Amino acid sequence: MSGAYPSVTGSFSAFLCSCVGEESEIVALTSTFADFRKRHLAPRNAKGDNNFCTAQIRNRNLTDHRSCKQRNTFIFSDEDVVINVCRTGGSHYPDKQHNNLYKSNDLFNLTECSWTNEPEEPPSCSYTADMKTRFIILACIKKLPVYFQKSVPN
């Protein structure tokens, strides 16, 4: 499930969520650019292989409610290039439920990390990598990316 949520204005100081599984709408509403950076940005020249996925998810302490995170996508790019998707480097992405999604004008190198189901608890989770070059669709608030919605081939 790829999280989805409405455009948000104003600020949120805290929300508690007892949701299980993928990120919920409440988590997305309280996400910030700092959260996005931690979850998805990687150095432009990094090698996005299985070892990269496992090490980065461990080092960044990315979990799903204290369980191994099912999947995570890393974007290999300079921060300012990704930010620009929410500005002039992207175009509004039509969606029936949300009006704050933007699709990149350019392709990005990505690695989609998927949990191998072994071991079953953090911090020992292991991941496999699937490297791709695709367009990215981001949720933006105040012209900054706060949520990675998905990637698409065209």
Side-chain angles (χ1 to χ4, degrees):
M1 169 189 224
S2 61
Y5 51 95
S7 177
V8 177
T9 56
S11 64
F12 293 85
S13 56
F15 263 78
L16 296 176
C17 179
S18 60
C19 308
V20 176
E22 300 258 356
E23 293 179 1
S24 71
E25 291 185 18
I26 293 173
V27 171
L29 287 172
T30 61
S31 289
T32 65
F33 175 67
D35 296 326
F36 175 86
R37 179 190 300 128
K38 177 183 174 183
R39 290 183 188 119
H40 302 293
L41 291 184
R44 185 170 26 111
N45 297 322
K47 184 179 177 189
D49 58 11
N50 294 351
N51 292 332
F52 171 87
C53 284
T54 299
Q56 290 299 307
I57 290 173
R58 284 182 188 172
N59 293 342
R60 297 174 189 219
N61 196 28
L62 303 178
T63 62
D64 280 338
H65 308 285
R66 292 182 224 118
S67 297
C68 294
K69 189 168 174 72
Q70 297 286 322
R71 68 178 81 248
N72 193 73
T73 301
F74 288 101
I75 304 166
F76 298 93
S77 180
D78 294 329
E79 183 176 296
D80 57 331
V81 176
V82 176
I83 290 171
N84 200 40
V85 171
C86 297
R87 299 172 184 181
T88 60
S91 56
H92 187 258
Y93 185 77
D95 184 271
K96 292 179 183 178
Q97 298 174 341
H98 315 98
N99 64 2
N100 65 334
L101 299 180
Y102 292 83
K103 178 182 173 186
S104 63
N105 293 337
D106 298 315
L107 294 166
F108 283 84
N109 292 323
L110 311 171
T111 291
E112 293 178 356
C113 303
S114 298
W115 179 41
T116 62
N117 296 326
E118 298 281 332
E120 296 186 14
E121 292 185 21
S124 302
C125 310
S126 294
Y127 293 85
T128 57
D130 186 10
M131 294 174 265
K132 300 178 177 188
T133 301
R134 298 174 64 128
F135 294 96
I136 57 175
I137 299 173
L138 308 175
C140 303
I141 297 176
K142 296 183 180 180
K143 297 188 179 187
L144 289 172
V146 295
Y147 191 77
F148 180 87
Q149 183 74 9
K150 63 182 175 178
S151 66
V152 293
N154 54 29

